[in-house]
Amino acid sequence: VALEGQINRKSVQQSLARGRSEAGDLIPWCISQQFQEDRFPSLSGARIVRIAVHPKLNRMGYSTRALELLTAYYSGDIISLDEDVKQYNSQGKEDGKTEAANGNSKNSLLTENLKPRTGLKPMLIKLTERPPEPLHYLGVSYGLTLPLLSF
C-alpha cells in the first residue's frame, strides 16, 4: 500500500497549467488531469500497489479476502482492545523517546561508534497495534489485462 494525496492545491493548479504531473501520487494526479479537478489531490488516500499470491493458490479467494481485510482496517473496523498500545513517531522511536535521549545526537561519520541500534520501530506489527491513517479513498492504479478484468 502506498499512501498518497495531501498535495498542495497551488502545486496542482501549476502542474495542470503546464499539462504535466509530478512523480508519484498516481491516483490524485490521474483524477486531477482527467477530470480537471484541482481539489481531489488534497484528499488523503491509499493506493494498493501489488497483491501477491502464490501461483498454485490463484482463484482461491486470497486476494479478495486481503482486499476485504484492508478495507476493514482503513474503515476502522479492525480495532485493538489492548489499552497498552505502543505509538511510534516518524523516526521509528516510541513516542517520547528521541536520539538525544539515547545520547546519539552529535555523532558524525568519523566519530561514530558502530553498535546495534535500539528503540527502532518493528518492521512487522499487528494491525491491531497501530491505528489506521485517516483516508478519503482506497484505490488501485494499474494497466488492465484480461485476468485482472475477470478478477
Side-chain angles (χ1 to χ4, degrees), residues 40 70 82 91 108 132 147:
F40 186 84
L70 188 65
D82 298 332
Q91 288 111 12
S108 73

Side-chain angles (χ1 to χ4, degrees), residues 53-114:
V53 177
H54 192 280
K56 291 182 179 180
L57 301 176
N58 281 344
R59 306 223 176 260
M60 297 181 82
Y62 287 103
S63 297
T64 302
R65 182 66 179 141
L67 288 174
E68 290 170 354
L69 289 171
L70 188 65
T71 302
Y73 172 70
Y74 281 115
S75 298
D77 296 338
I78 298 176
I79 59 172
S80 174
L81 300 177
D82 298 332
E83 292 183 21
D84 188 27
V85 175
K86 293 180 182 178
Q87 298 293 321
Y88 295 93
N89 62 24
S90 60
Q91 288 111 12
K93 306 286 181 213
E94 286 184 47
D95 279 346
K97 293 185 179 180
T98 62
E99 287 292 325
N102 294 335
N104 297 332
S105 61
K106 295 188 179 183
N107 282 342
S108 73
L109 290 177
L110 298 175
T111 61
E112 183 177 15
N113 185 10
L114 297 178

